[in-house]
Amino acid sequence: VQLQASGGGLVQPGGSLTLSCQVTGPTLDYYAIGWFRQAPGKEREGVSCISSSASDGSTYYADSVKGRFTISRDSAKNTVYLQMSSLKPEDTAVYFCSARDSPYFSDLAPRYNYWGQGTLVTVSS
């Protein structure tokens, strides 16, 4: 399984960005997918996760992004999206997508088996 994250960039506070995670390999339908981020000097943290469509497709959002971020998947394109709105400077980080050999999500990074290379999101005026 290979993952390619894209869509990062520079955005002003209050702005929006949509990140994409293209998954290559077995169908996305059987993997839980997670978005994590890591800011300079900080540990990697779970942002949003989604269980596989072969399970219940349930989602998770960190408290810091609830109501602002939305995770979704397009099985036909084998792609998972993270729509981010009302962005804040504290959202600045490298964002990674990851896949887990399980249909159920976890918000813990060590439980994911495959990782993309990361895309930088900078929120600044």
Side-chain angles (χ1 to χ4, degrees):
V1 178
Q2 293 182 320
L3 302 99
Q4 177 81 34
S6 62
L10 174 63
V11 62
Q12 292 187 342
S16 300
L17 276 177
T18 296
L19 305 183
S20 300
C21 178
Q22 175 72 54
V23 180
T24 303
T27 176
L28 185 60
D29 291 347
Y30 299 103
Y31 293 89
I33 302 295
W35 282 100
F36 293 80
R37 67 186 180 187
Q38 189 164 17
K42 294 188 177 182
E43 293 187 355
R44 191 168 297 190
E45 63 170 345
V47 175
S48 182
C49 312
I50 187 167
S51 288
S52 73
S53 55
S55 64
D56 60 4
S58 56
T59 59
Y60 160 85
Y61 297 96
D63 288 343
S64 58
V65 306
K66 278 181 183 176
R68 301 189 298 122
F69 290 13
T70 302
I71 191 170
S72 61
R73 65 168 71 221
D74 184 333
S75 295
K77 295 183 178 180
N78 240 30
T79 300
V80 175
Y81 302 97
L82 185 67
Q83 295 174 279
M84 308 184 295
S85 61
S86 302
L87 284 162
K88 305 174 181 181
E90 51 264 43
D91 294 317
T92 295
V94 177
Y95 283 70
F96 300 87
C97 63
S98 57
R100 187 177 185 220
D101 282 333
S102 168
Y104 303 105
F105 71 75
S106 169
D107 62 332
L108 301 176
R111 294 186 177 176
Y112 285 78
N113 305 96
Y114 311 98
W115 291 84
Q117 85 291 355
T119 185
L120 176 63
V121 173
T122 303
V123 184
S124 175
S125 54

